[in-house]
């Protein structure tokens, strides 16, 4: 089966997220941290647009998945790691660099595990924090702290990045937002809620996005703790 | 089948090449181009050490292949691209950055094609220049030119990187050095030749390595041209 022209589009989005990731690294190296952070967030949109459509022939879908995870390690692995390195890590010598490098290694382990165990099927539950969520935690963290001029707490960014790295290689479960099933009645209510959320984001973009990302990242450990405590009390 | 402890080692080498790639990016950003180039070359050794041993269970071998190509895009994609960006690209504005970004995109296309078409089997012929060879062309190019203080021809590096990028996505055939079959008699002669080559490399390290890499990179196009010309004359 020959691939149709339409299947080029998702792969073009994937290439675009590599481009944006590389641009983010160069901007971060020039001290333009706000632009560098937003570029990672834009790459996330492109990343969301690819994938699903790209399931044409078996080979094409394998190709798409491989290309996608290579783009992920550039845009959501190396780019946020270099963002933190240039923003904060430089002040902490070898330790600052090590945290950046570990984040990328953990990100690659997460992507390799995901691709090797679930090659083709599309899971509804992620095992470990997905790398785009880890990257957006870092990017929104930088944007949030720059907005409030909290840069003095730079060591905090190393802690955030290490935390995100460990969550990626953990076995903590995260829901796949695309796969959450909702009832018909709830669908319309959700649309209303989403409109309100979008309106809030229009005014408090940075705070709102940072809160959304933080909520998703903390959901995993909180849910896991809840089940752990429940189990302890029931036995 | 449970993986044996020995299978950790190749994956640890893969993680090390991510570490070296990241270190190379930070060194390049600080203007330490010689160290940055050598780090890419050392990552190549680690890359050579992984792979083959990691064929334990099916899942482990998939995992190893995925992890390996993620490490390749960091150490042989992003690292040489940022090396050239900091070394030369900065002077050429958008064009300089674009060539760096294209190199990474082409590298990712090369890796995705390789992994999706040949997933498990180990080919004896590479289609397109392998990304470690492209990376070492760039690293040795920088070392060679810095050694002879030719830095003024910086635009040349953009040309070299674009050339390497195009060769990666081309369908030009390259031999896999690990798979070249040699006869018993030739084996001992080769050992003598290798000893002489190694001795030369001890004295003329940079020139020798640069020549070896250039020879490999040019072998593909020269071989392809030879067969093309032969075909033209025979018909």
């Amino acid at each position: 089966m020959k691939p149709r022209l339409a299947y080029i589009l998702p792969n073009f989005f994937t290439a675009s997220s590599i481009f944006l990731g590389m641009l983010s690294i160069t901007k971060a190296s020039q001290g333009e941290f706000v632009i560098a952070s937003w570029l990672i967030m834009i790459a996330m949109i492109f990343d969301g647009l690819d994938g699903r459509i790209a399931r044409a022939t078996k080979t094409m879908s394998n190709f798409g998945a491989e290309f996608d995870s290579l783009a992920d390690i550039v845009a959501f692995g190396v780019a946020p790691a270099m963002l933190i390195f240039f923003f904060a890590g430089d002040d902490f010598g070898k330790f600052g660099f090590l945290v950046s490098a570990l984040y990328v290694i953990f990100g690659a382990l997460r992507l390799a595990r995901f691709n090797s165990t679930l090659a083709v099927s599309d899971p509804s539950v992620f095992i470990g924090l997905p790398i785009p969520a880890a990257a957006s935690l870092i990017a929104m963290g930088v944007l949030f702290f720059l907005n409030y001029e909290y840069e003095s707490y730079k060591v905090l960014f190393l802690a955030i990045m290490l935390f995100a790295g460990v969550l990626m290689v953990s076995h903590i479960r995260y829901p796949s937002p695309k796969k959450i099933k909702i009832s018909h009645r709830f669908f319309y209510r959700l649309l209303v809620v989403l409109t309100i959320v979008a309106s809030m984001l229009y005014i408090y973009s940075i705070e709102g996005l940072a809160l959304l990302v933080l909520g998703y990242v903390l959901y995993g450990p909180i849910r896991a703790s809840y089940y752990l405590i429940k189990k302890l009390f029931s036995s």
Side-chain angles (χ1 to χ4, degrees), chain A residues 112-133:
Chain A
R113 187 181 62 183
F114 180 78
N115 265 19
S116 62
T117 51
L118 296 146
V120 182
S121 75
D122 232 9
S124 60
V125 165
F126 294 130
I127 308 292
L129 184 67
I131 193 168

Side-chain angles (χ1 to χ4, degrees), chain A residues 53-205:
Chain A
I53 327 169
R55 308 288 143 119
T57 63
K58 178 80 168 61
T59 312
M60 285 312 283
S61 117
N62 277 348
F63 177 84
E66 294 291 338
F67 193 37
D68 200 31
S69 76
L70 291 164
D72 283 359
I73 199 68
V74 175
F76 310 127
V78 182
M82 293 312 294
L83 171 64
I84 297 296
F85 177 78
F86 289 122
F87 183 62
D90 231 352
D91 304 353
F92 299 93
K94 278 192 172 180
F95 180 72
F97 166 71
L98 182 64
V99 175
S100 287
L102 280 181
Y103 173 82
V104 180
I105 293 171
F106 286 175
L109 284 173
R110 171 71 176 78
L111 285 166
R113 187 181 62 183
F114 180 78
N115 265 19
S116 62
T117 51
L118 296 146
V120 182
S121 75
D122 232 9
S124 60
V125 165
F126 294 130
I127 308 292
L129 184 67
I131 193 168
S136 57
L137 179 73
I138 290 164
M140 290 316 301
V142 170
L143 286 170
F144 184 81
F145 278 74
L146 279 177
N147 203 36
Y148 287 94
E149 291 170 359
Y150 283 167
E151 297 111 287
S152 35
Y153 306 102
K154 283 188 173 175
V155 73
L156 194 65
F157 287 98
L158 300 187
I160 291 175
M161 191 157 63
L162 200 57
F163 177 63
V166 171
L167 282 181
M168 282 195 290
V169 289
S170 76
H171 279 75
I172 288 176
R173 279 151 182 265
Y174 280 92
S176 168
K178 288 179 186 167
K179 291 300 183 86
I180 295 170
K181 279 177 191 142
I182 45 163
S183 70
H184 249 271
R185 225 183 87 209
F186 195 62
F187 181 80
Y188 296 101
R189 283 195 196 170
L190 196 65
L191 258 183
V192 176
V193 173
L194 275 178
T195 311
I196 295 169
V197 168
S199 309
M200 295 298 285
L201 282 179
Y202 171 66
I203 299 181
Y204 303 103
S205 322

Side-chain angles (χ1 to χ4, degrees), chain A residues 25-36:
Chain A
I25 300 172
T26 63
K27 291 296 174 189
S29 78
Q30 292 158 349
E32 299 191 52
F33 303 121
V34 173
I35 298 177

